[in-house]
């Protein structure tokens, strides 16, 4: 066992100068087994689409979309930069095909189609929602500027945050997990092949997503299940596709070996050949400060528990055409955050009352977080409260 583990360590070390960050984690417990530069900022590229799909799955789960619904392609979506399907403006695509277009081909035009249809025709508004949801499920150093991961100096994340997001998808929406394991997909007579080389070549690999831009280099989230042990590896900033695939496989090998041997988790900070990207001097994005007591918990284990709790948070589609716009009065509510301590939640209750004149209550979630909520509202009343909250600098969302 020692010889095998030593060989894995040596092999990974040989590649360490050829990627920016990596980790391997137990998907069932959230335990990070090994990590290198996991909290350093990087460009996520098309790994961004994991969040776009997370919100798509949420819309499916709460009846705002159906797999057989058709989505209209705008001129803006048709103009998206490659990689894309090349859908013309005014055409339509089924939701199920849109999901496959992202999971298999990483189509930028279809990512924009989903964003615009889920958020009132504005990709920028969808990106704001992506970042807000990221904060809620514990992604502490992630900022989204678009739905696809196309280059933007403010569009950043970390290996730690990408792992947490991917685990949230797996835990919240297992019924849709199979989309990430599709090896090839045929649409309009053309067959597209998944860029995840580990599918079909690494024993037990069942997903998940690749990414690439010139600045980000090559990235990969890969998952594997062996002997009822499910692991996830994340590799960011690899020099090429071969390094990306090899390091992901080595991380998974290391993880399985560590689980079998009961090894202690390892965290490493290493210099990398490429300079790790930082926001430009003109950029508006700065990483969030260390969490204050009034903010949700942000350690990885606590965030994992929050992100993978039994029920996924519900995010409404604030357009008049939304199926939920006709909800029965009394079926909607507004949440003003989830907090790690009751005292922090009580502070938010008072804040909501002072600024909005609304009497919120504290509810304990299954993961131990304290949620500040107003229940039993009509759809219009809930949307009005949410609008007032936004105007007063209070983050909130409507649930049903």
């Amino acid at each position: 066992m020692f010889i095998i583990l030593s060989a894995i360590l040596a092999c990974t070390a040989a590649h360490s100068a050829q990627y920016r960050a990596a980790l391997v984690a137990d998907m069932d417990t959230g335990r990070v087994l090994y990590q290198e530069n996991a909290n350093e900022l990087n460009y996520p590229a098309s790994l961004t689409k994991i969040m776009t799909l997370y919100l798509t799955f949420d819309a499916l789960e709460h009846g705002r979309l159906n797999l057989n619904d058709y989505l209209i392609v705008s001129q803006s979506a048709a103009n998206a930069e490659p990689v894309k399907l090349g859908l013309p403006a005014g055409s339509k695509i089924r939701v199920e095909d849109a999901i496959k277009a992202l999971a298999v081909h990483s189509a930028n035009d279809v990512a924009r189609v989903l964003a615009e249809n889920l958020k009132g025709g504005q990709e920028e508004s969808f990106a704001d929602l992506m970042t807000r949801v990221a904060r809620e499920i514990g992604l502490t150093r992630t900022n989204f500027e678009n739905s696809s991961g196309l280059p933007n100096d403010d569009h950043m994340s970390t290996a730690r945050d990408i792992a947490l997001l991917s685990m949230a998808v797996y835990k919240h929406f297992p019924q849709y997990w199979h989309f990430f394991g599709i090896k090839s997909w045929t649409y309009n007579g053309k067959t597209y092949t998944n860029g995840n080389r580990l599918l079909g070549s690494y024993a037990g690999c069942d997903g998940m997503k690749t990414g690439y831009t010139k600045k980000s280099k090559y990235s990969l989230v890969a998952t594997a299940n062996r002997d009822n042990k499910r692991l996830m590896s994340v590799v960011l900033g690899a020099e090429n596709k071969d390094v990306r695939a090899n390091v992901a496989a080595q991380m998974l090998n290391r993880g399985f070996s560590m689980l079998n041997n009961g090894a202690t988790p390892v965290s490493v900070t290493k210099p990398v050949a490429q300079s790790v990207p930082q926001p430009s001097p003109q950029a508006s994005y700065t990483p969030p400060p260390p969490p204050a007591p009034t903010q949700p918990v942000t350690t990885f284990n606590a965030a994992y528990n929050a992100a993978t709790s039994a029920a996924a948070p519900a995010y409404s589609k604030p357009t008049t055409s939304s199926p939920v716009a006709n909800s029965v009065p009394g079926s909607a509510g507004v949440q003003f955050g989830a907090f790690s301590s009751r005292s922090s939640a009580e502070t938010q209750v008072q804040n909501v009352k002072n600024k909005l004149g609304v009497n919120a209550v504290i509810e304990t979630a299954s993961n131990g977080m304290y949620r500040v909520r107003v229940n039993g509202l009509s759809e219009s009343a809930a949307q009005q409260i949410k609008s007032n909250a936004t105007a007063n600098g209070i983050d909130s969302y409507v649930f049903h």
Side-chain angles (χ1 to χ4, degrees):
M1 288 296 182
F2 176 76
I3 294 174
I4 295 174
L5 185 56
S6 296
I8 295 172
L9 289 170
C11 191
T12 307
H15 284 291
S16 63
Q18 297 180 285
Y19 59 91
R20 291 173 178 156
L23 66 76
V24 60
D26 187 331
M27 293 181 67
D28 293 318
T29 67
R31 185 180 182 220
V32 179
L33 301 170
Y34 179 87
Q35 56 184 313
E36 293 181 18
N37 301 337
N39 289 303
E40 297 299 315
L41 287 172
N42 280 281
Y43 299 119
S46 285
L47 300 186
T48 299
K49 296 183 178 81
I50 298 173
M51 176 60 89
T52 300
L53 288 171
Y54 179 95
L55 293 174
T56 300
F57 298 153
D58 177 81
L60 289 169
E61 183 71 7
H62 293 91
R64 300 189 300 276
L65 284 181
N66 183 284
L67 286 174
N68 291 316
D69 287 346
Y70 281 85
L71 305 175
I72 298 174
V73 180
S74 69
Q75 186 63 59
S76 173
N79 290 342
E81 297 178 28
V83 173
K84 60 183 185 178
L85 290 186
L87 301 175
S91 63
K92 298 179 181 179
I93 183 170
R94 275 197 324 140
V95 170
E96 183 171 2
D97 287 324
I99 292 170
K100 292 176 180 177
L102 264 65
V104 178
H105 187 53
S106 203
N108 295 325
D109 52 351
V110 181
R112 191 170 294 173
V113 169
L114 284 167
E116 292 175 344
N117 279 271
L118 285 170
K119 199 62 176 174
Q122 298 294 323
E123 185 180 21
E124 295 83 358
S125 297
F126 186 77
D128 291 341
L129 175 63
M130 293 168 72
T131 299
R132 179 163 61 79
V133 173
R135 291 287 180 272
E136 181 162 333
I137 63 173
L139 279 61
T140 59
R141 306 199 75 197
T142 293
N143 183 72
F144 294 115
E145 293 292 326
N146 58 62
S147 60
S148 61
L150 284 170
N152 185 302
D153 285 345
D154 293 346
H155 191 103
M156 310 191 88
S157 189
T158 67
R160 175 260 190 203
D161 281 7
I162 293 297
L164 187 62
L165 169 61
S166 303
M167 291 179 186
V169 174
Y170 171 67
K171 290 291 186 177
H172 285 159
F173 306 113
Q175 67 272 40
Y176 302 119
W177 183 255
H178 66 279
F179 285 114
F180 295 105
I182 298 174
K183 297 177 183 177
S184 64
W185 165 65
T186 300
Y187 183 75
N188 282 347
K190 185 174 180 178
T191 298
Y192 301 92
T193 302
N194 198 313
N196 182 0
R197 294 185 182 179
L198 272 61
L199 288 171
S201 67
Y202 186 90
C205 180
D206 57 5
M208 173 172 182
K209 186 74 187 74
T210 61
Y212 171 79
T213 66
K214 185 176 181 179
K215 280 191 174 182
S216 74
K217 304 297 185 179
Y218 294 86
S219 299
L220 173 64
V221 177
T223 62
N225 186 14
R226 291 182 181 176
D227 300 323
N228 295 319
K229 297 183 180 76
R230 182 177 289 277
L231 297 182
M232 168 182 294
S233 66
V234 179
V235 179
L236 301 182
E239 276 295 300
N240 55 56
K241 293 180 180 180
D242 290 336
V243 171
R244 177 175 70 182
N246 290 339
V247 174
Q250 290 158 16
M251 286 290 161
L252 291 171
N253 287 339
R254 171 178 287 186
F256 285 119
S257 177
M258 292 179 73
L259 283 181
N260 292 334
N261 296 325
T264 302
V266 176
S267 179
V268 177
T269 300
K270 291 184 176 181
V272 293
Q274 312 96 329
S275 59
V276 176
Q278 297 295 326
S280 63
Q282 297 80 23
S284 59
Y285 169 63
T286 55
T294 56
Q295 292 179 305
V297 290
T298 53
T299 63
F300 190 89
N301 286 342
Y304 171 83
N305 291 332
T308 59
S309 58
Y315 303 97
S316 64
K317 176 187 176 185
T319 64
T320 55
S321 62
S322 171
V324 300
N326 297 318
S327 299
V328 177
S331 65
V334 181
Q335 178 163 314
F336 302 97
F339 303 86
S340 58
S341 69
R342 175 170 284 275
S343 62
S344 298
E346 290 171 348
T347 299
Q348 182 73 326
V349 167
Q350 192 61 46
N351 186 37
V352 169
K353 184 174 182 178
N354 292 342
K355 292 185 177 181
L356 307 181
V358 173
N359 294 315
V361 298
I362 298 174
E363 298 177 357
T364 304
S366 59
N367 57 18
M369 300 288 282
Y370 296 95
R371 301 184 296 200
V372 178
R373 289 185 159 191
V374 176
N375 298 293
L377 301 172
S378 67
E379 179 67 22
S380 60
Q383 293 293 352
Q384 183 60 55
I385 290 174
K386 178 182 180 296
S387 178
N388 292 342
T390 300
N392 283 276
I394 300 175
D395 287 337
S396 66
Y397 70 85
V398 175
F399 64 88
H400 302 86

